Amino acid sequence: MEFKQRTGPTPAVQDEGWAPPSCTLPTAQRPLRVAEFDALFAEAATEVTLVAPGRMRLRMRPEPELAGRAAELAARETACCSFFTFTMTAAGGALTLEVAADDGHAPVVAALAERIGPG
């Protein structure tokens, strides 16, 4: 399955107030972080599923370099948005990244999944 990178932001990301107040990333750096996620998704994503409110599963091409980039980006993201939980699993030749957040931040996870989905 192939995914296309979106050419424009989703409404949740386009709105200047999309990041919750609990996000501590400086406002000027937020578009750069979104671009980093978009680049990773465009290169690595093979499938995305919103499995529950506030929880998505991203299947990625099982390449060590992509796993490293995803892990590094997840670590930086949890430093500013502690409501996220990222879980990476490598098993049976597959690489999966699960992203979860509490109910109050479920719309942020849904917006993230929408950015990855087929365009």
Side-chain angles (χ1 to χ4, degrees):
M1 179 176 286
E2 188 172 320
F3 291 87
K4 299 177 190 171
Q5 183 175 6
R6 296 203 176 269
T7 56
T10 64
V13 175
Q14 186 176 23
D15 177 9
E16 288 183 19
W18 79 275
S22 56
C23 178
T24 62
L25 187 66
T27 303
Q29 292 180 16
R30 291 176 186 177
L32 301 174
R33 182 66 54 84
V34 169
E36 286 183 87
F37 273 108
D38 282 347
L40 177 66
F41 298 155
E43 188 175 342
T46 61
E47 181 183 354
V48 64
T49 306
L50 195 58
V51 295
R55 192 170 131 232
M56 66 167 237
R57 181 176 301 125
L58 172 65
R59 296 194 193 285
M60 299 172 52
R61 291 190 355 245
E63 299 174 13
E65 187 270 331
L66 294 174
R69 278 178 48 204
E72 190 269 336
L73 186 54
R76 286 190 292 122
E77 187 63 16
T78 59
C80 63
C81 294
S82 61
F83 57 86
F84 275 126
T85 300
F86 293 89
T87 305
M88 186 171 294
T89 305
L95 183 62
T96 304
L97 179 66
E98 291 210 13
V99 182
D102 57 45
D103 290 344
H105 295 98
V108 179
V109 175
L112 196 59
E114 187 178 326
R115 289 190 77 78
I116 304 166

